Amino acid sequence: MALFQFPQSGAMDELAKKMNNNLIAQLNELPIDAEDAPKLCAADLKYSRMMQGKRLKAKGVTLTVTHDPDDPLVSGVSWKMDHDARYVTRLPFTYVNTKRDYSVDGRINKSFKRKEIFYSYIVWLRGQMPDAPYSCPNCGGATTLGNLTEGCKFCGTRFIADDLYPKVINYYTLPAAQNLLKRLKPFAIFGAIAMTAFGLIYNFKSIFVEPALYGIFSLIGWILYAALAAACGAFLGYIVGVFSIFGEVIVRAIASIPIIIKYGTAKKRLPRFMHHYSPDFSSDRFIGKIISMLNIIVYSEDIDNCALYCGKPIKYDLSDIIDMSYNGIIDVRKCFEKNGYLYINLNLKMNVVSCRDGKISNGGKIFRLTVCRNAAAPEDYGFNVKAIKCHSCGGSFDATKEKHCPFCSNSFNLKDYDWIVTELNVK
């Protein structure tokens, strides 16, 4: 069976845009609690969606999300992240009109509408050779690409190369500027009404007394006067709206400077710290992995049995969270090595929707995490977050879903294989 042909740069951009639009269509067709996950999603993303679906059902909440692409379609590639020696990543975007409905017991409790930019991390692997190590996207078994195209030896699932690569490892949305004319329309209408009302009140006597004295000609004159006042008011309202939006843009631009600085610092600091331990380290893939891990931890039914978290009890009640999205803000606080393990302290800003006692609430939350990994552990090049082989019995399993070997019940320390979260606080 022929393996996937690695596309050229220009063709890769076009394929990334097409995949992003296909992902949007798949997400619109498949609700979060559906048994089938979008085919383009990597295994971790599918798993976190499945866990979120269980959380929604447990809370009695139905979440309906639709992303309607703009007409005409506006899409592109935000930037090209191809400095990683093992991976080529694209971040395509599409302008969409998003609607989120949260229904409790069949009645809509909260509804949100806004214009957004839909981003997705799409990953290709360089040099897709048959003997390259991979993790089965279905069961997490450690194998090779060549073996997967012939059939996974653990679960028997057969794949073609298109089923394996490229894949979407994460996606998120950010608010987009609304149509300028639509935003200015309320200002113009308010200005027209205000100016007309002011003119009528200021000239009350002339308007309501003189027409009775001078007849229809005076009435026509005052109608023209009202129309002129409305036109002037609409124009003034338009001008006020323009300055208001301009001021808002300036304020947002100033407010975004710390965000840009923090993200740029993280992009430089992480590879600089990790270069000695993992020369092929990619900060973008790392951030995507941390977001996937956070989602899995948050939606875990039993945090004590979650293999991705090994730390003190979390004070914040995660069980109320029913929806969560990354808003592009990351702040790397500290990176260090201690006793042969790597530690990274970072903050992630997330938009969080919670449900308690049947009531939906939303707001921004800062997740403060410490992640840890054995300094000697090789970089995980599979699409599963964790696919390991038990040192006791040799069984291979997906450690994202298992804290103990399902074959011999032997416990293991996951941080010797890959990143785990050792501390989590929510603010």
Side-chain angles (χ1 to χ4, degrees):
M1 182 179 295
L3 294 178
F4 178 79
Q5 296 297 314
F6 201 71
Q8 297 298 317
S9 180
M12 187 176 295
D13 290 346
E14 293 303 315
L15 181 57
K17 290 191 292 184
K18 183 178 180 180
M19 287 183 63
N20 192 48
N21 294 328
N22 289 340
L23 174 65
I24 292 172
Q26 292 179 15
L27 292 173
N28 288 339
E29 293 174 0
L30 295 171
I32 292 176
D33 57 355
E35 294 183 2
D36 297 326
K39 294 182 178 179
L40 289 174
C41 293
D44 302 325
L45 190 50
K46 291 180 180 178
Y47 183 57
S48 63
R49 279 176 60 87
M50 180 195 72
M51 297 180 69
Q52 183 183 2
K54 290 183 178 180
R55 174 68 57 81
L56 289 167
K57 287 183 178 180
K59 289 286 187 178
V61 178
T62 300
L63 171 57
T64 304
V65 184
T66 55
H67 306 286
D68 292 326
D70 268 358
D71 186 19
L73 183 67
V74 179
S75 62
V77 177
S78 184
W79 68 78
K80 302 176 183 180
M81 301 171 286
D82 54 3
H83 302 294
D84 185 1
R86 289 297 298 266
Y87 290 99
V88 175
T89 306
R90 290 293 188 267
L91 187 68
F93 66 87
T94 301
Y95 278 76
V96 297
N97 297 289
T98 299
K99 182 180 180 183
R100 293 175 177 265
D101 291 329
Y102 298 87
S103 302
V104 180
D105 298 328
R107 294 179 298 179
I108 295 180
N109 189 295
K110 285 282 186 178
S111 185
F112 303 99
K113 292 181 181 179
R114 70 174 183 176
K115 190 178 185 64
E116 295 182 328
I117 309 175
F118 185 101
Y119 296 90
S120 62
Y121 285 98
I122 300 179
V123 177
W124 286 260
L125 185 67
R126 299 181 188 271
Q128 300 183 56
M129 304 304 292
D131 58 349
Y134 297 109
S135 302
C136 173
N138 184 52
C139 70
T143 181
T144 65
L145 176 59
N147 287 337
L148 285 180
T149 57
E150 297 300 323
C152 175
K153 64 180 180 180
F154 301 104
C155 66
T157 305
R158 291 175 60 88
F159 299 89
I160 59 175
D162 287 347
D163 292 328
L164 303 171
Y165 295 95
K167 282 293 184 184
V168 177
I169 62 172
N170 227 315
Y171 64 86
Y172 64 93
T173 60
L174 295 179
Q178 300 291 330
N179 182 281
L180 184 60
L181 291 178
K182 288 184 178 180
R183 293 197 62 184
L184 290 175
K185 185 177 179 180
F187 287 94
I189 293 175
F190 178 80
I193 294 175
M195 183 64 77
T196 303
F198 175 79
L200 292 174
I201 294 173
Y202 186 76
N203 298 282
F204 179 82
K205 181 178 179 180
S206 299
I207 294 172
F208 294 101
V209 175
E210 290 185 3
L213 298 176
Y214 299 104
I216 189 67
F217 295 104
S218 181
L219 179 62
I220 293 175
W222 284 113
I223 291 176
L224 293 176
Y225 169 80
L228 179 62
C232 293
F235 177 75
L236 291 175
Y238 175 85
I239 297 299
V240 171
V242 169
F243 278 99
S244 174
I245 293 174
F246 179 74
E248 179 184 336
V249 170
I250 296 297
V251 171
R252 286 188 175 184
I254 295 174
S256 67
I257 291 176
I259 298 173
I260 296 173
I261 293 175
K262 288 179 180 179
Y263 182 77
T265 301
K267 288 274 291 182
K268 293 179 179 179
R269 191 172 186 180
L270 288 170
R272 187 166 57 241
F273 171 70
M274 290 297 301
H275 179 75
H276 175 70
Y277 310 99
S278 299
D280 296 337
F281 178 83
S282 165
S283 58
D284 295 296
R285 288 205 72 251
F286 174 79
I287 294 171
K289 174 178 284 191
I290 297 302
I291 295 171
S292 293
M293 293 170 62
L294 179 60
N295 274 277
I296 292 172
I297 292 171
V298 167
Y299 296 129
S300 291
E301 297 178 0
D302 185 0
I303 194 67
D304 293 332
N305 290 323
C306 179
L308 300 182
Y309 183 75
C310 182
K312 298 179 180 178
I314 302 172
K315 297 181 180 179
Y316 188 85
D317 187 4
L318 301 177
S319 65
D320 288 335
I321 298 177
I322 58 172
D323 198 16
M324 191 169 64
S325 59
Y326 173 60
N327 66 2
I329 302 177
I330 180 172
D331 183 18
V332 177
R333 309 294 294 176
K334 190 176 182 181
C335 305
F336 62 96
E337 179 184 355
K338 182 178 180 181
N339 299 328
Y341 288 91
L342 308 178
Y343 294 87
I344 298 177
N345 297 333
L346 53 89
N347 294 341
L348 282 177
K349 181 71 178 295
M350 308 289 285
N351 298 317
V352 174
V353 179
S354 301
C355 178
R356 173 173 290 184
D357 299 328
K359 296 182 179 180
I360 307 294
S361 61
N362 68 292
K365 297 291 183 182
I366 297 176
F367 289 80
R368 296 180 173 177
L369 302 93
T370 298
V371 296
C372 173
R373 195 198 82 178
N374 191 317
E379 188 71 21
D380 176 19
Y381 293 119
F383 269 106
N384 277 2
V385 174
K386 309 287 176 293
I388 63 98
K389 181 177 291 186
C390 177
H391 287 307
S392 179
C393 69
S396 179
F397 59 97
D398 184 356
T400 302
K401 307 172 185 178
E402 305 283 350
K403 201 164 189 176
H404 299 83
C405 175
F407 305 104
C408 68
S409 300
N410 185 53
S411 61
F412 59 92
N413 194 341
L414 192 56
K415 64 182 180 182
D416 287 331
Y417 299 90
D418 208 339
W419 295 102
I420 67 168
V421 179
T422 59
E423 186 176 356
L424 175 58
N425 294 305
V426 184
K427 180 180 180 182

